Structure formats: C-alpha cells, structure tokens
Amino acid sequence: EAGVTQFPSHSVIEKGQTVTLRCDPISGHDNLYWYRRVMGKEIKFLLHFVKESKQDESGMPNNRFLAERTGGTYSTLKVQPAELEDSGVYFCASSQGDSSEQFFGPGTRLTVL
Amino acid sequence: KQEVTQIPAALSVPEGENLVLNCSFTDSAIYNLQWFRQDPGKGLTSLLLIQSSQREQTSGRLNASLDKSSGRSTLYIAASQPGDSATYLCAVRGSARQLTFGSGTQLTVLP
C-alpha cells in the first residue's frame, strides 16, 4: 500500500512568488492534515480536512496560505505571496478515523529567498 | 494550551544498551499519544500509538507507556542498535484532532 506522498520534495522561490505544495494521502483516508516545521522549532499544526471539508484551520498563520482538497482526495497548500518566514518543512499526514494513527509524508522543504 | 516536552534533547549510548526516552505533557485530557522517529532529511515514521485508555503498547524492541494522570509517557528501546539512531518525537492528540509535538530527542547509538 502506498504511503502519503508529497510533491515537490524541495522548492526554492523568491520572496513574493507563489508556491503550491501537493499532498496525496493514503487511499481511503478521509482525514488529511497539514503541519510545518520552521527552523529550530517544533512541528506545528496548520489545518485538518475531513474529506473535502476544512474541519479546523486554526493553525494557518495568515491569509497568504490557502489549502484545498477538491473531491476529498489530494490536497494543495498554496502560499501567495511567499515571505522569508515561510521557509521550513511542510508535512502532510492522513488517518482513517479521527482517533486513528496519523501517517506522515516525507515533507516538502520550502526555501524562500 | 497543550505543551509537550521531551527530555533529554540528545542522547548517545553504546550499542546493546537499553534506554528510555521521556515525554511529558501539560494537559492530561488527551485522546491518544503517538511516538515517531525521523531520520535526517526524511519524513516521520509512526512507531507506536497509545490510546488514552491504554497503559502501554509494544512493537518488537519498543515499548511505550502512558500515565495520563501524571502527564507522562516513556519510550523504552531494548538492546539498542546503530540503526536506531534517529530523532524520536512524541505527539499528543487532544479534543481537537491535531497533534501537538515535542521538540524531540536525538538518539545516537555508537557501534
């Protein structure tokens, strides 16, 4: 069974540009989560989808971040415009039920110059 | 607000030694606790999930315990091997479905 996949693995962009990260959860997992780790800090929650609906987006830092999960399958996280402080590793995770084990993808390392 | 602390931040042991990693959390109203390992430049690999009603979980050489009332969990690794070298992360899930992570323990097992 394929795990959680994320694309791209690395992205280097200039401040002010737009970047879109993609996450494909494990097939059949209704719950999809986005987290990120910025330099030297703990991994922090961004938001949670149940199927195509945003269940909790309390961790989204500001309105430059937009997440979507059309059709309840893969999800995208767009940062527009990117700022220097957005640099970090963005992780996606999925789970079958909301009390179930969360499985993480390999992450996307975002560098904003 | 839930806070998760992991001690020690780094640990170096000789191969074959048994070791314990510690995790503490401030809010005991948790749904479950998950232990992960992260290898350099890689994603998180789930090791063990303990539901709030459970006291421990075992997988191979790994044993995780949970004492919800005191806000503590330990990860016991038996007969450590160089391949166990990684960062170990503890994360708790409260009433919101998100995980709150500790900063991790970086383990090095010396051959």
Side-chain angles (χ1 to χ4, degrees):
Chain A
E1 179 183 298
V4 178
T5 57
Q6 293 187 245
F7 182 83
S9 56
H10 292 86
S11 181
V12 181
I13 61 172
E14 302 267 334
K15 175 183 170 180
Q17 289 186 320
T18 297
V19 64
T20 300
L21 314 181
R22 174 171 169 144
C23 168
D24 286 77
I26 293 172
S27 178
H29 283 193
D30 287 339
N31 294 272
L32 186 149
Y33 310 80
W34 283 98
Y35 296 84
R36 75 172 179 178
R37 170 186 268 157
V38 296
M39 180 73 79
K41 300 285 184 66
E42 295 89 356
I43 297 171
K44 297 283 192 187
F45 167 79
L46 295 177
L47 87 159
H48 169 216
F49 284 98
V50 177
K51 297 184 180 179
E52 67 276 6
S53 299
K54 289 177 188 173
Q55 193 73 18
D56 181 356
E57 49 185 332
S58 61
M60 295 286 263
N62 52 60
N63 59 10
R64 295 185 295 103
F65 289 75
L66 175 64
E68 295 181 323
R69 192 183 181 194
T70 307
T73 54
Y74 70 92
S75 174
T76 59
L77 179 65
K78 180 191 288 189
V79 185
Q80 179 182 30
E83 298 289 345
L84 299 178
E85 64 264 26
D86 301 332
S87 295
V89 181
Y90 290 75
F91 292 103
C92 175
S94 71
S95 69
Q96 196 158 30
D98 59 17
S99 295
S100 303
E101 193 172 6
Q102 292 189 24
F103 295 93
F104 279 69
T108 293
R109 181 172 294 278
L110 174 65
T111 302
V112 183
L113 302 175
Chain B
K1 180 188 162 195
Q2 179 73 270
E3 291 182 4
V4 180
T5 302
Q6 292 187 247
I7 294 173
L11 180 64
S12 184
V13 300
E15 182 177 4
E17 199 162 287
N18 302 325
L19 59 101
V20 174
L21 306 181
N22 296 292
C23 172
S24 62
F25 45 94
T26 53
D27 185 351
S28 62
I30 66 169
Y31 277 54
N32 60 46
L33 183 147
Q34 211 168 334
W35 281 94
F36 297 88
R37 71 173 276 168
Q38 185 176 25
D39 294 280
K42 300 289 179 64
L44 279 65
T45 300
S46 180
L47 298 173
L48 289 163
L49 170 73
I50 309 179
Q51 299 292 351
S52 62
S53 57
Q54 297 175 317
R55 293 298 298 245
E56 65 178 274
Q57 279 284 359
T58 299
S59 176
R61 294 182 294 109
L62 305 180
N63 176 278
S65 68
L66 174 64
D67 184 341
K68 212 172 71 154
S69 60
S70 67
R72 294 179 187 275
S73 176
T74 61
L75 179 67
Y76 174 83
I77 302 177
S80 59
Q81 303 170 357
D84 294 331
S85 298
T87 296
Y88 289 80
L89 296 160
C90 166
V92 300
R93 203 219 107 172
S95 56
R97 296 177 177 92
Q98 59 184 276
L99 292 176
T100 301
F101 282 84
S103 53
T105 294
Q106 187 173 349
L107 173 66
T108 303
V109 181
L110 304 168

